[in-house]
Amino acid sequence: MVEFDVKGAIALITLNRPDCRNAIDTATGIALFDAVKRFEADEALKVAVLTGAGGHFCAGADLKALNNDVTWNPDFGHGPLGPTWHTPGKPVIAAVEGYAVAGGLELALWCDLRVAADSAVFGVFCRRWGVPLIDGGTVRLPRLIGESRAMDLILTGRAVTADEAYSIGLANRRCADGEALTAAIELAEQIASHPQACMLSDRRCVQEAAGKPFPDAMNTEGTLGWDYLQSRGFAEGVAKFVGGAGRHGEGS
């Protein structure tokens, strides 16, 4: 259903329902949210990679489950697909092969970054069946690619190739088929290698400042940035720089 593996400082979370392109029913949503909470609770884990088994990321909610008296209840977590109404405290990267459509697109949008294989397909396919976006799609998609492009995808429900997804900023990285997980783990390891407290402070600022008027957004950045400047982590970082670490593009 949902597999949880650890690779150094990286949590690997895999949707494992390949027979239905990893569509999510109630039990899978609960298991996915539990996996996210497990990742957040483990201080040794810095970044999570979310992927799907069997050549696809996620086809969204399991509509067939409705015929089996499965009830979707938003109260079981933070969204019908599990963690989508919850903002994790640490970065999550989506490794996308095949379909990331309908709620699966929303799940990819929930992640901080998206690595797309050549054959990846994104889209609001639920438009075709009168199923609404309820896992953050109408909020996150316009923030990522702009209202005009988002409205195009939301109103038409058309398929978006990996090429287009990359060109409009929906995908952050491109790779060959079968390489999305490897590329996402490499990206996660790069992120995990940085001083975490400062990075997480900047990440939180981006999230909290989004949509605010410019003066309020600047105030958010100033408040969070100043808090970090008073921390031990900042002092240690300055000492590392003075000592020569991280110069000339070298890693920390």
Side-chain angles (χ1 to χ4, degrees):
M1 187 185 305
V2 176
E3 299 176 355
F4 189 99
D5 299 292
V6 173
K7 180 178 174 60
I10 311 304
L12 176 57
I13 303 172
T14 305
L15 297 171
N16 191 9
R17 302 186 76 215
D19 56 317
C20 56
R21 291 177 176 169
N22 301 314
I24 296 176
D25 59 10
T26 299
T28 305
I30 293 172
L32 177 57
F33 189 55
D34 286 343
V36 171
K37 289 187 287 186
R38 178 179 172 184
F39 158 62
E40 289 189 276
D42 191 335
E43 295 183 359
L45 298 175
K46 308 303 181 186
V47 184
V49 173
L50 176 62
T51 193
H56 293 284
F57 181 71
C58 177
D62 187 353
L63 299 181
K64 293 181 180 178
L66 289 178
N67 295 327
N68 297 323
D69 296 323
V70 175
T71 300
W72 292 332
N73 181 358
D75 293 332
F76 76 68
H78 287 264
L81 296 187
T84 49
W85 294 355
H86 167 72
T87 300
K90 296 181 283 189
V92 182
I93 300 171
V96 181
E97 303 269 358
Y99 285 106
V101 297
L105 170 63
E106 293 183 283
L107 193 58
L109 297 174
W110 170 80
C111 298
D112 293 79
L113 301 172
R114 285 146 296 281
V115 176
D118 288 337
S119 64
V121 177
F122 301 85
V124 186
F125 283 16
C126 51
R127 180 60 56 242
R128 307 171 185 181
W129 304 290
V131 177
L133 295 171
I134 196 172
D135 284 274
T138 64
V139 178
R140 295 188 179 103
L141 188 59
R143 290 185 179 185
L144 283 179
I145 66 174
E147 183 176 326
S148 179
R149 287 192 174 105
M151 197 66 79
D152 176 6
L153 304 190
I154 291 170
L155 295 183
T156 67
R158 65 182 180 84
V160 177
T161 65
D163 283 339
E164 182 180 0
Y166 183 70
S167 70
I168 65 177
L170 177 54
N172 302 92
R173 301 285 192 278
R174 283 290 309 281
C175 64
D177 287 342
E179 297 296 324
L181 180 57
T182 298
I185 290 174
E186 290 175 354
L187 180 57
E189 289 173 341
Q190 177 187 354
I191 293 171
S193 72
H194 295 312
Q196 293 296 294
C198 179
M199 184 197 70
L200 292 177
S201 176
D202 285 348
R203 174 180 179 267
R204 179 184 171 192
C205 183
V206 171
Q207 294 167 335
E208 293 192 7
K212 290 183 177 180
F214 186 79
D216 294 339
M218 289 297 294
N219 185 62
T220 297
E221 181 185 90
T223 299
L224 294 176
W226 182 253
D227 287 346
Y228 177 73
L229 287 175
Q230 310 308 305
S231 71
R232 178 180 176 182
F234 174 69
E236 291 176 346
V238 170
K240 288 177 64 177
F241 175 81
V242 171
R247 295 185 185 181
H248 311 297
E250 298 173 356
S252 58

